[in-house]
Amino acid sequence: SSGINAECPLRPGDIRNVCVFLAPLFSSLTVIVVYFLTKEVKNAGAGLVAASMIAIVPGYISRSVAGSYDNEGIAIFCMLLTYFLWIKATKTGSISWSLLCSLAYFYMVSSWGGYVFLINLIPLHVLTLMITGRFSHRIYVAYSITYSVGTILSMQIPFVGFAPVETSEHMAALGVFGLCQILAFVHYLQANMTPASFNVLFRGVVTIGLCAAGLSFGIASFLGKIAPWTGRFYSLLDPSYAKNNIPIIASVSEHQPTTWASFYFDLQLLVFMFPVGLYYCFRELSDANIFVILYSVTSIYFAGVMVRLMLVLAPIMCIMSGIGISTTLTTYMKNIDSGDQPPATVKSKKKAADYPIKSEIATVMVTIVAIFLTTFVFHCTWVTSEAYSSPSIVLAARGHDGNRIIFDDFREAYNWLKFNTPENAKVMSWWDYGYQLTAMANRTILVDNNTWNNTHISRVGQAMASPEEHSYTIMKELDVDYVLVIFGGMSGYSSDDINKFLWMIRIGGSTPEGAHIKEGDYYSSSGEYKVDKDASSAMHNSLMYKMCYYRFGEVMTEQGKPTGWDRVRNQEIGNKDFELDVLEEAFTSEHWIVRIYKVKDLDNRGNK
């Protein structure tokens, strides 16, 4: 055994350390890739500035902080590496760079489902080059090899399979690939035919080709050979689609539209320098610059639709800002008098006369940029330390005296479940806490963060939104032993289940079994979502309301406020005196954030 341990550099106990430090490791590699990518687009100076920014920007650190063991930490590195190799391939027309790009694309596909953004952006770049008359043999070689080899490799991944040739999200890439072959063939014919003969043939082939392609696509879609777009993809094109059709997607906080405050919070200076870099890219158009322009426009739209995609936007914001800051500094730094310049010639004196205070203006501009960069560093440090450096399972807040208060209710509750319930106990909770319950409490849960099973999650939502008697039937149907809810009315924790309850109602009513659940029944007579005496009877009698506010009417949460004062909703609860019929309180954490109830075992006659 000692011999094996001596030969193995990685002990089993080190697996946790690998998980903790994997995201920071790949973020370090991302910094290097951003430097080389920006260098290809502009120059080494812009690359250094962009790399420095991606190293500290909160929009990327939020997903690459130590302990963030998620595929997105690796995926951004893979995506930017693919982009860098794509630009190298288009610049050189080299088969080797194209093959490397296809390998990077394969790595990207294997790491994150967001590869769909990449496989649509590169064809969009090629199509734009065709429209602007920049299509060349280099682009043909680069895209043909990258698409064909990359697609074949990606189809070896089990969860992808034949999706690249069957789903609508991949049809743009396939169509541009076919268009490349047609365009290359047209160029070949044009070089070997007279103009008159070529024009006749060209018109005929184009007409027949478009009709055949449209007919084939229509027949394949009708027969189901081409799968329609997924709900998440529709949500990117139409932000209201998920809310109206698939509430489970819209209920995820990461799928909400991004506010302006979030843009500034995660990007700060980059918000203002991004248009500067965009301007310089437009001023010196090249194939590489057109690519980053397309990346910029598409990513800023998608990040505005879905806050989760701020992760995709952060790198291009750093690249564009790096170009803008580097070019600005280069422009003004050379106008600052160094004090030891050689004597001015007649020509230089005449030029200086046109700008009498150019040195002073240049000094002011460089100073302003330096101040902005300094504030950017302080902002990134503060955001990272306050917002992205604490584990999500341990909450922290500031008291009235400024001291930090730690809320460790989640681990407290999960440990109670682990050591005080049978190993085969089944726990019902909302899907947000499924992974945590499985990993930390080691108990079976009904729904988790894998939200593909909409029907099962809807059933849990119906149980939460129904009166106790109906909920008991659902819980027995699902063989539930314990029910867990998150409540913030005592501590002021706003991400609790009462604030999520409307989504449970919408999801619960989205399936035929929950057709009786209507969102309007849970609003007050004035159409407001309330928990006080004006709340509707459906709200007061719902299982969620009773589990959260059981015994809460006896508690005084704030001085000068009545008992049962909800510190999140700032309302006095309307239903204080009630008892639970089908549940009994099993555990409530120190700050009442986690409450666990045991399902009573009632006989067929309904007696306790």
Side-chain angles (χ1 to χ4, degrees):
S1 175
S2 61
I4 294 175
N5 289 334
E7 294 176 2
C8 181
L10 186 65
R11 300 187 303 274
D14 291 333
I15 293 177
R16 182 175 62 180
N17 293 333
V18 171
C19 297
V20 169
F21 293 109
L22 190 65
L25 171 64
F26 273 89
S27 66
S28 303
L29 299 176
T30 302
V31 172
I32 298 172
V33 172
V34 166
Y35 165 75
F36 284 106
L37 176 56
T38 314
K39 182 182 177 183
E40 288 297 321
V41 175
K42 187 65 177 177
N43 53 42
L48 287 173
V49 177
S52 302
M53 288 180 163
I54 194 68
I56 60 174
V57 66
Y60 181 52
I61 284 187
S62 63
R63 299 287 183 162
S64 60
V65 69
S68 177
Y69 185 62
D70 200 354
N71 51 4
E72 293 169 347
I74 299 174
I76 295 303
F77 162 74
C78 301
M79 182 182 71
L80 294 174
L81 177 62
T82 307
Y83 290 159
F84 164 69
L85 294 172
W86 167 249
I87 290 177
K88 291 292 290 186
T90 56
K91 278 188 171 184
T92 61
S94 168
I95 294 178
S96 57
W97 284 114
S98 303
L99 287 173
L100 288 174
C101 182
S102 62
L103 290 173
Y105 170 69
F106 169 65
Y107 190 17
M108 170 67 183
V109 176
S110 64
S111 65
W112 192 33
Y115 76 91
V116 174
F117 174 71
L118 186 150
I119 199 54
N120 282 279
L121 179 60
I122 290 179
L124 179 62
H125 180 221
V126 175
L127 184 63
T128 305
L129 295 178
M130 291 179 182
I131 295 172
T132 56
R134 291 176 172 269
F135 187 77
S136 64
H137 182 71
R138 293 180 290 103
I139 307 300
Y140 172 77
V141 172
Y143 186 71
S144 296
I145 294 176
T146 299
Y147 174 77
S148 56
V149 177
T151 299
I152 293 172
L153 290 175
S154 66
M155 291 171 69
Q156 311 310 310
I157 301 171
F159 81 89
V160 176
F162 286 93
V165 293
E166 290 182 342
T167 57
S168 299
E169 289 92 338
H170 299 81
M171 286 300 105
L174 180 60
V176 171
F177 176 72
L179 198 59
C180 283
Q181 314 313 313
I182 295 173
L183 199 58
F185 183 63
V186 166
H187 287 167
Y188 171 78
L189 293 178
Q190 192 174 18
N192 292 275
M193 295 178 66
T194 63
S197 302
F198 172 77
N199 289 335
V200 173
L201 180 63
F202 179 73
R203 280 192 291 267
V205 169
V206 167
T207 303
I208 296 173
L210 289 176
C211 293
L215 186 63
S216 301
F217 184 80
I219 294 174
S221 300
F222 178 76
L223 296 177
K225 299 299 182 182
I226 298 178
W229 286 335
T230 62
R232 284 178 172 82
F233 199 83
Y234 270 123
S235 300
L236 292 175
L237 301 178
D238 179 9
S240 63
Y241 175 82
K243 183 178 180 180
N244 298 331
N245 298 277
I246 315 177
I248 184 63
I249 294 178
S251 69
V252 181
S253 60
E254 291 182 338
H255 295 169
Q256 303 304 312
T258 310
T259 62
W260 284 109
S262 297
F263 277 113
Y264 184 80
F265 187 75
D266 282 343
L267 301 172
Q268 210 245 6
L269 174 66
L270 308 186
V271 174
F272 308 104
M273 294 308 301
F274 170 80
V276 180
L278 200 62
Y279 163 75
Y280 284 122
C281 286
F282 269 110
R283 197 174 71 171
E284 301 175 2
L285 276 181
S286 64
D287 293 350
N289 286 357
I290 291 175
F291 178 78
V292 294
I293 289 170
L294 292 172
Y295 179 15
S296 304
V297 173
T298 52
S299 62
I300 203 167
Y301 166 76
F302 291 134
V305 172
M306 194 176 289
V307 67
R308 178 185 186 182
L309 296 180
M310 184 72 75
L311 179 68
V312 176
L313 175 64
I316 190 60
M317 293 290 279
C318 293
I319 292 171
M320 285 300 189
S321 299
I323 293 173
I325 290 173
S326 175
T327 308
T328 302
L329 289 176
T330 302
T331 301
Y332 286 101
M333 285 290 287
K334 62 185 179 184
N335 290 333
I336 298 178
D337 292 335
S338 61
D340 56 353
Q341 293 179 342
T345 62
V346 176
K347 185 176 180 180
S348 63
K349 285 182 179 180
K350 183 179 179 180
K351 185 176 181 181
D354 297 333
Y355 304 94
I357 56 172
K358 69 174 185 178
S359 179
E360 290 78 2
I361 293 176
T363 302
V364 170
M365 289 299 299
V366 171
T367 303
I368 291 175
V369 172
I371 292 173
F372 283 163
L373 289 174
T374 304
T375 59
F376 177 69
V377 172
F378 280 112
H379 176 82
C380 293
T381 305
W382 176 78
V383 170
T384 302
S385 62
E386 291 293 326
Y388 299 135
S389 293
S390 301
S392 59
I393 203 169
V394 179
L395 308 175
R398 296 285 181 183
H400 296 294
D401 56 357
N403 292 328
R404 174 169 289 193
I405 303 172
I406 301 298
F407 299 91
D408 203 9
D409 292 48
F410 285 98
R411 292 197 302 174
E412 178 190 354
Y414 296 156
N415 281 331
W416 185 90
L417 273 174
K418 185 174 183 179
F419 295 109
N420 294 277
T421 61
E423 291 186 0
N424 60 349
K426 292 183 179 179
V427 182
M428 183 178 81
S429 70
W430 195 232
W431 63 263
D432 297 40
Y433 328 111
Y435 285 165
Q436 289 183 358
L437 279 165
T438 302
M440 303 192 69
N442 194 23
R443 290 297 177 266
T444 303
I445 45 90
L446 297 182
V447 291
D448 58 23
N449 305 61
N450 184 6
T451 56
W452 292 106
N453 192 337
N454 187 29
T455 304
H456 217 51
I457 295 176
S458 174
R459 202 69 176 135
V460 173
Q462 293 160 24
M464 298 295 191
S466 300
E468 279 191 84
E469 295 75 14
H470 190 189
S471 298
Y472 185 76
T473 303
I474 297 174
M475 288 187 290
K476 281 302 179 182
E477 170 195 320
L478 300 175
D479 199 19
V480 175
D481 298 306
Y482 292 88
V483 185
L484 179 146
V485 293
I486 305 299
F487 173 61
M490 172 78 80
S491 61
Y493 178 58
S494 59
S495 297
D496 66 350
D497 283 341
I498 291 292
N499 275 357
K500 298 174 183 177
F501 188 42
L502 280 179
W503 287 112
M504 301 184 197
I505 295 168
R506 291 165 184 161
I507 296 169
S510 65
T511 55
E513 294 85 356
H516 63 284
I517 298 177
K518 307 294 183 184
E519 182 180 345
D521 296 341
Y522 295 84
Y523 289 110
S524 65
S525 57
S526 59
E528 298 176 275
Y529 180 64
K530 308 187 78 173
V531 297
D532 59 9
K533 58 183 177 59
D534 296 328
S536 66
S537 59
M539 183 71 178
H540 282 155
N541 294 322
S542 65
L543 184 69
M544 174 59 68
Y545 188 97
K546 288 189 173 183
M547 286 192 295
C548 287
Y549 291 119
Y550 178 63
R551 293 194 303 108
F552 186 66
E554 308 166 2
V555 180
M556 179 171 287
T557 59
E558 288 189 15
Q559 188 174 2
K561 300 292 184 182
T563 58
W565 181 261
D566 189 320
R567 296 179 62 196
V568 174
R569 268 65 57 175
N570 289 321
Q571 299 172 22
E572 179 187 1
I573 63 172
N575 189 6
K576 295 183 180 181
D577 302 320
F578 61 85
E579 293 295 330
L580 296 173
D581 296 326
V582 301
L583 299 173
E584 58 183 358
E585 184 179 9
F587 175 82
T588 297
S589 61
E590 179 183 358
H591 302 97
W592 283 49
I593 293 179
V594 184
R595 309 199 69 182
I596 301 172
Y597 294 87
K598 188 177 188 303
V599 180
K600 293 180 180 179
D601 188 14
L602 306 181
D603 58 31
N604 292 332
R605 294 172 297 175
N607 297 323
K608 298 180 183 178

